[in-house]
Amino acid sequence: MRLSVIEGIVAMPLVFMTMPGNFLLASLATDLLQVSEGSYGIIASLPAWCNIIQLFAMPVMTRKSSQKTICLAFSWVHLLCWALLATILPYIPHDGSWPAVVFMISLFGASSFAFAIINISWTSWVQEWLPKWSRGKYLGRRNRILQCSSVLFLIAASQTIKAFTGGNLTLGFQWIIASGIVLRAISIVLQQRIYSNEDGSQDRSGSMLSKFKIIRSHRSFFRFILFGAAFGFTANFMGPFFPVFMMKALGMATNEVGYAVMTATITGALAMPIWGKLIDKHGCRPSLIIALSCWMINGYLFFGTSPESHWLVYLIFATGGIFGAGFLFGSFVMLLKLVPKEAKTASISLNLATTSFAGALSPIAGGFIIEWAERHNDSFLNVFHALSGIHHSLVLLTVLILFTIDEPKSSSIRQAVGSMRALRQAGAALGLSYLMNYSFIKRRNDDEHP
């Protein structure tokens, strides 16, 4: 558990750059290489497609190797992809032409496939050594520490881009990627020392058909997959383009977008231990409903942004970071809680593939919709406001699916909100001022004695 914290700290820079829709990838593709929004939508959708492909690759791998072996092997493959990008970046055309698009799709596609395998194998591997009773508390603290690492990286990356803007921006991105590669190499070496139950995994035997029969018998897990698919489809529709929106519609520089992301990272890190305690005490479902609802309501503040009031973006990211951290953390813990032990790797793989299939087409469609709207509207700011409202409304509707999931030993929504005293002040910043004064006390029936 200690080693996992240490290796996670140095792994975060390269992990952040791999995540779809992050501002560094958006700046690299659309600003440095001049790739269009439509082509960038294809690049942003690659992780989702690779998450589907892994469904067919993981069963073969798990029959021959342990989860630790798979995770480490593809970690090195993932690292080599980024090393190749850093080396060849100066020779890629910086004019948005098809060679630049093809190269980015090919290289980022290989990186995304390796990262998809890493996600599945690490999630399955962590269950071999992490006790159930401490998952919420431990992962909350671990994620908080890792977020602090991300903050330091974001500061360094933003300052590097600012320093090289107007000069050799390619060299600046090379320095950023190279730093992430060196730190990730240290992380992989440390991971080799973490415990692995090579022969004790309960899902190494049995056919894939038998695994799906086991998964089908767990109704709550199936509904969680349905929720993930709905969230993936709606969130990926416009989510990857928000860095592009902020740069083109609000006139924010790349380093300013980085500072906004850093703000969300800091507030998310501070709130993570609170979410861990809430999830341990009240369960994942009520925490997820509260976090996702507040997160999306917070997004409506984008209607008030403009080039003159882009300072509001920092407030949106600050409050959104609190609830976004709770949602992402709660989703991971709920997956560990609902997944069948007898088919854990197959279950995690199926969940990721189904979720990704739903979200694979949406960023491609989103990119071409943005291009169409830009051609038919004189104000790109109006396009941003309209699509932002549609985005947050669609994601907010997925909360309804969460209410149908049965989670063992979870509290009611009223009880969970009542214990969130440390987060009520953030709620007031979102316009939910009633959370500051509302008393979440169960009403006494008339026939009950005082």
Side-chain angles (χ1 to χ4, degrees):
M1 292 169 70
R2 187 184 306 111
L3 280 171
S4 181
V5 173
I6 298 173
E7 67 85 12
I9 292 174
V10 290
M12 284 307 295
L14 195 62
V15 169
F16 178 85
M17 287 188 285
T18 306
M19 301 302 291
N22 71 82
F23 80 95
L24 289 175
L25 178 63
S27 178
L28 175 64
T30 62
D31 189 17
L32 181 64
L33 301 182
Q34 298 297 309
V35 172
S36 66
E37 283 84 0
S39 298
Y40 175 67
I42 297 175
I43 296 172
S45 73
L46 289 174
W49 292 112
C50 291
N51 288 337
I52 299 171
I53 298 173
Q54 59 76 31
L55 179 64
F56 305 97
M58 282 302 297
V60 178
M61 297 180 189
T62 53
R63 285 197 294 267
K64 298 180 180 180
S65 304
S66 67
Q67 299 302 326
K68 176 180 179 180
T69 301
I70 296 171
C71 181
L72 292 176
F74 279 88
S75 294
W76 287 114
V77 173
H78 177 254
L79 185 144
L80 289 175
C81 290
W82 283 90
L84 180 62
L85 174 61
T87 303
I88 306 181
L89 190 59
Y91 307 101
I92 304 175
H94 291 33
D95 55 3
S97 59
W98 69 264
V101 175
V102 170
F103 179 84
M104 285 297 295
I105 290 176
S106 302
L107 191 59
F108 194 66
S111 168
S112 298
F113 176 73
F115 196 64
I117 300 297
I118 295 169
N119 281 334
I120 296 297
S121 55
W122 188 88
T123 304
S124 184
W125 175 25
V126 75
Q127 296 182 70
E128 297 179 9
W129 49 264
L130 184 58
K132 280 186 178 181
W133 56 268
S134 65
R135 283 176 182 173
K137 184 177 181 180
Y138 167 76
L139 292 173
R141 290 181 177 179
R142 180 182 185 272
N143 289 344
R144 178 181 59 178
I145 297 173
L146 266 55
Q147 293 286 60
C148 294
S149 170
S150 298
V151 170
L152 295 177
F153 168 70
L154 291 173
I155 293 175
S158 299
Q159 290 299 318
T160 300
I161 292 176
K162 182 179 180 180
F164 283 91
T165 298
N168 192 350
L169 187 58
T170 301
L171 181 61
F173 274 105
Q174 283 183 297
W175 275 108
I176 294 172
I177 297 172
S179 301
I181 291 171
V182 173
L183 292 173
R184 179 57 174 147
I186 298 173
S187 168
I188 299 173
V189 172
L190 292 175
Q191 278 188 329
Q192 293 175 345
R193 300 174 57 189
I194 297 179
Y195 166 82
S196 174
N197 188 1
E198 298 282 346
D199 302 317
S201 179
Q202 300 181 38
D203 64 339
R204 292 285 294 277
S205 61
S207 64
M208 198 63 184
L209 180 60
S210 65
K211 302 296 184 185
F212 285 130
K213 288 182 179 179
I214 295 172
I215 297 171
R216 188 174 58 183
S217 63
H218 289 72
R219 182 178 300 179
S220 292
F221 181 68
F222 250 97
R223 290 180 178 177
F224 183 69
I225 292 178
L226 177 62
F227 163 73
F231 177 82
F233 179 81
T234 55
N236 283 309
F237 178 58
M238 285 295 149
F241 299 97
F242 272 82
V244 180
F245 284 141
M246 287 185 283
M247 287 185 284
K248 293 187 64 175
L250 303 182
M252 297 177 66
T254 303
N255 64 295
E256 291 179 316
V257 177
Y259 295 148
V261 175
M262 181 180 64
T263 302
T265 304
I266 294 173
T267 56
L270 295 175
M272 197 69 74
I274 302 174
W275 287 113
K277 293 177 182 178
L278 284 171
I279 290 170
D280 281 341
K281 183 177 181 181
H282 297 284
C284 299
R285 190 189 70 162
S287 301
L288 279 173
I289 293 173
I290 294 167
L292 183 56
S293 299
C294 294
W295 191 15
M296 291 303 105
I297 292 172
N298 173 56
Y300 289 121
L301 292 177
F302 274 113
F303 282 118
T305 58
S306 67
E308 295 75 25
S309 61
H310 71 262
W311 58 267
L312 188 59
V313 170
Y314 296 99
L315 174 62
I316 298 171
F317 272 72
T319 49
I322 295 173
F323 298 110
F327 171 77
L328 297 175
F329 179 44
S331 299
F332 178 74
V333 177
M334 192 166 189
L335 175 62
L336 296 181
K337 193 172 186 179
L338 296 179
V339 68
K341 289 183 179 179
E342 318 87 74
K344 63 176 183 178
T345 302
S347 300
I348 297 170
S349 181
L350 177 63
N351 174 70
L352 182 60
T354 305
T355 303
S356 300
F357 180 74
L361 293 174
S362 53
I364 299 177
F368 288 109
I369 288 175
I370 292 173
E371 289 186 346
W372 175 86
E374 192 174 6
R375 289 195 300 268
H376 293 79
N377 198 303
D378 295 333
S379 173
F380 191 67
L381 180 63
N382 292 335
V383 173
F384 168 44
H385 286 162
L387 294 179
S388 173
I390 294 172
H391 166 81
H392 290 96
S393 298
L394 291 176
V395 179
L396 186 60
L397 289 174
T398 64
V399 172
L400 299 175
I401 304 176
L402 285 173
F403 283 97
T404 68
I405 299 175
D406 296 323
E407 180 192 0
K409 299 180 180 179
S410 64
S411 303
S412 66
I413 304 299
R414 176 188 291 266
Q415 290 172 316
V417 176
S419 65
M420 296 174 64
R421 300 183 186 277
L423 299 178
R424 291 192 191 184
Q425 193 167 1
L430 303 179
L432 307 177
S433 56
Y434 67 90
L435 289 176
M436 293 293 293
N437 304 312
Y438 187 82
S439 297
F440 297 90
I441 301 174
K442 184 178 180 180
R443 293 183 178 180
R444 178 175 59 87
N445 295 329
D446 294 337
D447 57 349
E448 289 180 345
H449 296 288

